[in-house]
Amino acid sequence: MHALLNAIAQMALPGDAQRIFHGRGGLHPGCEHWALDAFAPVWLLTSFQPSAEAELASVHAALGERLQQLAPEPTLNWVYQCRYKGQTETRLMAGAVPTPHVVTEDGSRYLVHLLKGQNHGFFPDMAQGRRWVRAHVAQHPGIKVLNLFSYTCAFSVVALRSGAKQVVNVDMSHGAMALGQKNHQLNGLSGGASFWAHDIFSTWGKIQRGGPYDLIAIDPPSFQKGSFVATKDYARLLRRLPELWAPGGHVLLCLNAPELDTAFLQALMVELAPEFSFVERVDNPPAFADASPQRALKVLVYQAPASYAAAATPA
């Protein structure tokens, strides 16, 4: 675990939520099962295989030593989570976790819950996607945004803070939606957002009637039994995409499935929404560098035609 300990020894004192060590990127042989995130004032160590107590003691010592160097009155707070063979173990290893626990990114504030479940309320790997949304909305103030699989609505917070007129958030999890509403309140956003705790496919008529949308963000789970399976359900979504777009609007397609590459999404768009043109793939944060970029998070930007007539014109 030398690479992990070395990353701790060299890290700066984090302010915003961020990844410190990304073993899953495959750039550190022998450390592929480790990930370390900073959710100030707490560090979260995640392992995808069981860890020996001696290994955890080494991490504790490394964090403590580095914090002594960085902070005048250091208090070490850290959580360990093991995810292995479908089981999850979460332990508070030192200090405490604030209640409520609020983290920041680029001036926005978000609630997280590190001691509950595998999804903590905020995904640091989507930082560049949120920055793309912020910059895009700032250049196109007053637009209407559809946020599908919105989870705790970070895209919505960023869009509204950047000048969006309206954001429709859709996610089947009532708990995530409740947290999303709190995130809006944390950021002083009292209007402009709708929160629909519905299954996207069963409430499509309502989503369609709410359009058209100038920006559509689609960030589904790669595999969630009974909800969404990317290999079959992404096509169901994209087949109906032409029902939602505003002329000249943009679509942000996200997929975090190592087994599916960029070509998977691009082929679906060519087949099912050929009127949309590919713009770019948004880079992932440097901390999430991957030996195989196609395995890493994919965030693709597409643009709709400037008019409905153009879409109907044969190529």
Side-chain angles (χ1 to χ4, degrees):
M1 61 188 310
H2 175 74
L4 170 61
L5 300 179
N6 188 53
I8 294 172
Q10 297 182 27
M11 70 181 181
L13 188 65
D16 283 357
Q18 59 188 270
R19 177 142 298 184
I20 303 298
F21 181 77
H22 186 58
R24 304 197 86 192
L27 295 174
H28 307 287
C31 291
E32 291 84 356
H33 57 292
W34 297 110
L36 179 66
D37 294 296
F39 292 97
V42 184
W43 278 267
L44 171 68
L45 177 70
T46 305
S47 178
F48 294 87
Q49 67 184 44
S51 305
E53 291 301 318
E55 292 177 313
L56 298 180
S58 295
V59 171
H60 179 91
L63 287 171
E65 180 178 352
R66 185 57 175 159
L67 194 56
Q68 287 278 354
Q69 298 167 352
L70 295 173
E73 296 182 8
T75 299
L76 176 57
N77 310 298
W78 75 284
V79 171
Y80 166 68
Q81 183 172 95
C82 179
R83 306 179 190 178
Y84 185 66
K85 293 187 176 180
Q87 301 296 314
T88 301
E89 174 200 7
T90 305
R91 293 160 55 185
L92 177 62
M93 303 298 293
V97 175
T99 304
H101 188 179
V102 179
V103 299
T104 62
E105 182 186 78
D106 297 336
S108 296
R109 306 174 73 209
Y110 306 96
L111 285 162
V112 296
H113 43 81
L114 302 187
L115 298 176
K116 178 183 177 183
Q118 292 189 8
N119 294 331
H120 307 299
F122 184 78
F123 294 115
D125 60 346
M126 191 53 77
Q128 294 296 84
R130 288 184 288 269
R131 288 170 186 142
W132 184 93
V133 169
R134 184 177 73 243
H136 178 78
V137 175
Q139 293 172 2
H140 304 85
I143 65 174
K144 185 172 186 177
V145 180
L146 174 63
N147 187 17
L148 297 178
F149 305 96
S150 59
Y151 189 42
T152 57
C153 307
F155 278 145
S156 180
V157 167
V158 169
L160 288 171
R161 293 192 73 219
S162 302
K165 180 180 180 180
Q166 183 180 0
V167 181
V168 175
N169 298 288
V170 188
D171 196 287
M172 69 185 303
S173 169
H174 288 266
M177 275 298 180
L179 199 57
Q181 289 176 292
K182 291 180 180 178
N183 282 336
H184 283 71
Q185 295 165 8
L186 266 179
N187 289 277
L189 302 170
S190 58
S194 302
F195 304 91
W196 298 351
H198 304 308
D199 176 84
I200 287 170
F201 294 111
S202 63
T203 193
W204 193 263
K206 183 177 180 179
I207 294 171
Q208 185 179 1
R209 290 191 297 272
Y213 304 95
D214 303 290
L215 173 61
I216 303 169
I218 305 176
D219 186 14
S222 60
F223 182 88
Q224 191 173 80
K225 189 175 181 180
S227 171
F228 192 91
V229 178
T231 49
K232 67 181 183 69
D233 290 326
Y234 227 126
R236 293 175 64 196
L237 267 180
L238 299 185
R239 186 174 288 113
R240 308 190 72 169
L241 191 60
E243 303 169 5
L244 304 176
W245 60 274
H250 288 74
V251 179
L252 198 69
L253 300 182
C254 309
L255 181 61
N256 197 358
E259 70 280 8
L260 300 172
D261 60 12
T262 305
F264 167 76
L265 288 177
Q266 292 175 324
L268 288 179
M269 287 296 287
V270 169
E271 176 187 358
L272 303 173
E275 61 269 48
F276 286 78
S277 57
F278 176 71
V279 177
E280 63 176 319
R281 177 178 176 179
V282 177
D283 291 336
N284 290 325
F288 286 87
D290 200 294
S292 176
Q294 290 299 326
R295 287 175 47 85
L297 170 67
K298 275 74 68 175
V299 180
L300 307 185
V301 180
Y302 280 82
Q303 185 172 17
S307 69
Y308 295 113
T313 302

